[in-house]
Amino acid sequence: MLIYKATELVNFAQGDLLMLGAFVAYMAVVWWGLDYWLAFLISVVTIGIFGALLDATVLRNVIGQPQFAIVMLTIGLGAMFRTFASVTWGSEIYTLPTPFGGVWQVGGVTLSHQYISIVVGTLILCGVLYAFFNHTRIGVAMQATSQNQLAAYYMGVPVKLIFSLIWAISAGTAAAAGILLAPVTLIDINMGLAVALKAFAAAVLGGFGSIPGALVGGIVIGLIELYAGATLPDGFKDTAPYIVLLIMLAVRPQGLFGTMARKKV
Amino acid sequence: MSFFSVDNLSINFGGIKAVDGVTFDVGKGEVFTIIGPNGAGKTTIFNLVSRIYQPTGGKLVFDGTDITNVPPHRIAALGIARTFQNIELFEHATLLQNLLLARHAHKKSNFLSELFFLPSVRAMELEHREAVEKAIDFLDLQQYRDSFIVNLPYGVRKVTELARALCTDPKLLLLDEPSSGLNVEETEDMAFWIQDIRTLLGITVLMVEHDMSLVSAVSDRVLALNYGRPLAMGTPGEVQSHPEVIRAYLGG
Amino acid sequence: MRFQFKTSYNQDIRLFKDRVDASWYGLLAVAVLALPLLMSDYYVGEATWVFIYAICGVSLMVLVGYTGLISLGHAAFLGIGAYAHAYFLEHGIPWVVSVVLAVALTTASGLVVGLPALRMTGIYLAIATLAFSVIIQEVFSRWESVTHGFAGMPVDKPVIFGVPFQDEASFYYLCLFFLVIVLWLTRNLLRSPTGRAWIAIRDSEIAAQSMGVNLAIYKSIAFAYSAALMGMAGALFAHKIAYLAPDIFTILLSIQFLLLVIVGGLGSLHGAVFGAIFVALLPPLIAILRDSIPASMNDAAAAMNIKVLAIVGEGIGNFLRKPGVEAGIFGLILVLVILLEPLGMYGRWVKIRVFFSTFPMYRGATFKRQKSYMRSERLR
């Protein structure tokens, strides 16, 4: 459920892509009666291709504009996706059937397979992405592109293709996260917004551009939420992570693992 | 007592000594140039002087005041102005606004009087405007007054930066590669302006520069650096023929 | 094409460029003042919304358009202003004092949020303000002794120095008065050192610092001033909406404000007003369209005997009636504006004016910008 930010692309539509991914999987499983894993694959690929198309048609035009424009653009896109979803699927809440039914007893704690599937899935996803970005040629090229497009272009990196790829992967990841989450949060048109807010908090807490940071950030946010819900009065459960986030940002603005660099003059 | 002195200045970036024990004095009315190969630490010295970096060792004394711990926004008011290697103008503002901002260190109005634009604020604005017009006249920028910086050619931007620095009424002017990106003709103009700044306005100039023709045309003294350490100091001719300096540039 | 001959520096400082300019604004003033006499209460009410949104727009324009700081939490300031004003009124505090207190409170909260802003840029700031907004919204719904939570909080029409502002027209003039004051004050700031310092911070923090701008102080001022305006707008908002509930002041409202400044055109006060007209009038426009399109298409179909037209019209009407469509249309417009006209409506307006004033010498390249490749913005 963690959005990787190694590419410096801040995508506020991520949560909505996640929501779309979950819906596609739902359609595949419930309407067409496909296998869960096949549906997973279909959803990730569909949303991935959708992400690449999005880049080719819309986002490429804002290359060279400030980050702010891109942020606003993705907010706008997100709103469009939500409308699309509400028109297509309505505002009911759906449940996605999964093959993970049972529970495990580990040292007196009951863990349902569903939660385990989320944790394992997240770990695999992050591991794969981490390896991809740091150990493959394309991954390194992507990082290079995000840091200096012109230089990367001169070095023979096909910048446009790379950008489409980044979006495809990013969207595909979101879809996968959406499917993993679907059994817990249930599928509705606003699931993306809620998740995206927390995911952003996690990413910021860990420091943008750092995948291990995002993981730790996510875990910290989850734990805070859990403890605040258990020990503090009502209403703190949802706000506690944000309070912590604000304090953290005031003290250490670059996040736990982020690096802070100043512009050279 | 020298006008501006740098004493045993050092800074480390993650174990790398970018500037290591640099000492020099600049006399009043002097043009002092720092040269050296890329990465020698020239611009870093500028960033230390304008207080963007905090030195790990050493002392900076300007006009009898220790400025080693002065915050960066106080530097302009003390009388030190600078230009930047890669031009740091306010791009989406007009040239006039850019220059007026340079008067910021001399503003006397407070927020409330500005909120209602009291007559005193108007009077101050007119005063600033006159100071700015002097710089515009001095550097022949009249025709660009209302142009946005994004629409100006590189050469004009470079001159605008110089004008902006002058508008702060500096006593010491730091010029970071004033000729980089300029053609031969523009570089010659720049040399004349630097000389005029010194002789007509009486401003002390500390400069980082690569173009040796410009360096020898305007500098009184030159300091050569390599790997953050001083190699040689003297007149442009002396430094240029110094064996260590030749070796640093040509390798070997 | 008109030329201006400048004979004194004062000409660059004053509010209107020349007499022609001033007379246009005069004409506009007459039109705006006469509006309630000519229009029905419904339209006067909608125009009042425009004024309130315009104050919000100016507020956000100062922060985003001039100082270059992004806030995703401005609805929270609006909410603080609105709730504070409503609370003070409820406790019998006179109107003017109540507004002043509400503005003071939002200014203070703006300063508090501005503190982390001193060290953050870009996306971190956006998230921090977002977090603030979420917390404040939670406070609105939980602190029931003050805000009455989800039960809501009714707000009466304003009574100022014993003069009641009961009907739409009088409230319209009240909002107009506040908007004009806000525009005048903001314009004053922008033509004095504070405004220039903001612009400098937006374009290059390091250069601004080297020119003697204290970044911390000017960023704080920007935040506090922006929040203060939002508080003022909030007080008017409370009267206008007449019933406060926590779920009004959500992130979606903040995003709507951002949409306002972008559609209007970043970096201009005109843009804030243009954007306000747009954002405030779009929902009623959609409402009108969703009834009139099917009807008119139906008429056309009957007249021309083409059945498809009626069906298409019906379809559009049904589509516009679905929940959440409004947000999607806002999103679509946001995307189109960023893609086609990054300078917003004001930018387009300037271009059209230049086209006619230089006709037939207009060159298409006048507003072409050098295309630059995006560099990493981590290093700011």
Side-chain angles (χ1 to χ4, degrees), chain B residues 216-237:
Chain B
S216 12
V218 300
S219 323
D220 298 310
R221 282 192 303 151
V222 175
L223 169 73
L225 286 183
N226 199 19
Y227 297 116
R229 302 190 61 84
L231 286 183
M233 184 154 46
T235 65

Side-chain angles (χ1 to χ4, degrees), chain B residues 137-149:
Chain B
D137 275 347
F138 187 74
L139 296 173
D140 281 334
L141 288 168
Q142 291 90 341
Q143 54 172 322
Y144 304 112
R145 210 179 268 140
D146 291 320
S147 313
F148 282 86
I149 299 296

Side-chain angles (χ1 to χ4, degrees), chain B residues 43-89:
Chain B
T43 299
T44 309
I45 292 183
F46 269 33
N47 287 340
L48 287 166
V49 174
S50 52
R51 307 287 312 107
I52 294 171
Y53 297 152
Q54 182 63 33
T56 38
K59 209 171 143 187
L60 297 161
V61 179
F62 172 70
D63 209 5
T65 330
D66 185 344
I67 59 163
T68 321
N69 290 309
V70 172
H73 57 264
R74 299 270 316 125
I75 287 293
L78 285 171
I80 300 179
R82 72 172 291 182
T83 66
F84 295 85
Q85 195 173 353
N86 296 319
I87 302 190
E88 290 284 334
L89 287 166

Side-chain angles (χ1 to χ4, degrees), chain C residues 75 78-79 83 133-134 136-142 147-153 237 241 243-254 256:
Chain C
L78 187 77
Y83 269 114
S133 151
V134 172
I136 289 297
Q137 209 194 329
E138 197 67 28
V139 170
F140 287 156
S141 57
R142 299 278 170 183
T147 65
H148 304 295
F150 278 101
M153 190 168 187
F237 187 91
I241 204 156
Y243 208 77
L244 297 178
D247 54 352
I248 298 170
F249 306 103
T250 58
I251 298 148
L252 293 177
L253 189 62
S254 300
Q256 214 173 12

Side-chain angles (χ1 to χ4, degrees), chain B residues 75-76 79-83 164-166 168 170 172-175, chain C residues 210-211:
Chain B
I75 287 293
I80 300 179
R82 72 172 291 182
T83 66
R164 188 178 64 179
L166 285 180
T168 62
L172 174 67
L173 185 60
L174 311 178
L175 300 177
Chain C
S210 295
M211 294 298 136

Side-chain angles (χ1 to χ4, degrees), chain B residues 5 38 114 131 154 162 192 205 245:
Chain B
S5 74
N38 289 326
E114 284 172 18
Y154 193 85
L162 185 59
F192 284 121
V205 177
V245 177

